[in-house]
Each structure stands twice: as structure tokens, then as C-alpha cells.
Amino acid sequence: MPPEDGFTWRKYGQKEILGSKYPRSYYRCTHQKLYECQAKKMVQRLDHNANIFEVTYRGKHTCHMSSTAPSSVPPEHILVDITQNTNTISSQLSPSVNLTLHPASGTAATTSARGGASTSRYGGDYPVVDMADAMFNSGSSSGNNSMEFLFSPTEDKSDAN
DNA sequence: TAGATTTGACCCCG
DNA sequence: CGGGGTCAAATCTA
């Protein structure tokens, strides 16, 4: 079970993903379930590192809304290393995601009645609060960032062709 | 009892 | 058609 991020989430689904040995869990804001706060959270355990949780925040929070100016897109991709006592949060901002931002042009129009409310996949602004601060005890005390072993692609940088 | 969680079925997108 | 994501009904716990 991944650490708390400062908000309440209600698990609404769990499916096994191909390519991963562990199922993915889907969470939604415990509040405004089907009203406005369509903030969602996706937790997937790495297959080669069961001690790390890949937390992906989707949508936008419409409940609390603190500071944090919607200037830049906050880290929605987070890696939580539960190997240590302190949670190592590594903001893995995927460049692809940044470009995948769908323009929430006013009339987002719902594509289907099932999809629910409007709003495309990703919103324009991210009124997210300092989740890192909301974390349990953000590994700030000890600078143990041994996340070097995180994401170790099978690419051997020995020689280059 | 109510809210949350679980598991499966259904639906949508690629 | 398949994978991925969501919802809904049943069940459990507080």
C-alpha cells in the first residue's frame, strides 16, 4: 500500500496490466465522487522493483485547492520507494506527458454519456498542493536518495555501436 | 447502517 | 479484437 499523499482516495478498480506482474489500482477522490473533483490516482507496482510504487495523478482537484500557482505542471508522476523508512519521492516528469496535455477549450464536450463529466484527459491547470509536504515524513532528514537503481533499462552503456 | 473495498462485467479506444 | 479504465453489486469493517 502506497503512502498517503495528503488526500483521501477511494479505490474504484483494479486490473492486471500486461507487461507488469502486479495489478494496477485506480483511486478516486473520496469526496465529490461524481460531481466535480474528478481527481484520480493510479498506483502501479514496478515489476522489477516491488518496493517502488508508480503513482500517477490524473485530473485535477476541485476540493481543497490551496496555493500553488497553475504556472507549471506539478509532478503527476511520482515514484514512491517504500524500501526505506522514508519515502523517496522522485518526480519523474515524462516529457511525453507534458506534450500530451489536451487543450481544455471551454466546451470540452463529453464524448460519451459514460465518460461522465466533460474535461479531457488532462486539464490545463493543476491546482495541486504541495503533496510532497503532505507526505508522511518526506525523506528530508536524511539525504538518502538511493534511487539510482530505479529504472535500470537493460541498456549497457559500455560501448556505442 | 453506511462508507469503503473487492471483483467482475462492460465499454471505449487503439 | 485486445488492453485498459470505469462502474456497479456484494461484502466487510467501523
Side-chain angles (χ1 to χ4, degrees), chain A residues 8-23:
Chain A
T8 12
W9 302 91
R10 162 246 191 184
K11 186 189 289 182
Y12 72 87
Q14 182 179 296
K15 272 284 275 279
E16 301 200 20
I17 308 302
L18 296 187
S20 299
K21 297 187 297 190
Y22 305 102

Side-chain angles (χ1 to χ4, degrees), chain A residues 24-37:
Chain A
R24 183 177 293 174
S25 306
Y26 302 94
Y27 295 88
R28 262 193 80 155
C29 198
T30 305
H31 317 296
Q32 284 145 54
K33 2 188 158 295
L34 312 168
Y35 297 105
E36 295 172 65
C37 196

Side-chain angles (χ1 to χ4, degrees), chain A residues 9 11 18 22 26 33 48 58 64 67 73 79-80 87 89 103-104 112 117-118 120 135 138 140 144-145 151-152 156:
Chain A
W9 302 91
K11 186 189 289 182
L18 296 187
Y22 305 102
Y26 302 94
K33 2 188 158 295
H48 56 126
R58 256 165 133 188
H64 45 87
S67 328
V73 33
L79 291 179
V80 182
N87 307 309
I89 325 286
S112 47
S118 34
S120 310
M135 286 290 185
S138 318
S140 307
N144 41 26
N145 281 15
F151 280 121
S152 301
D156 50 278

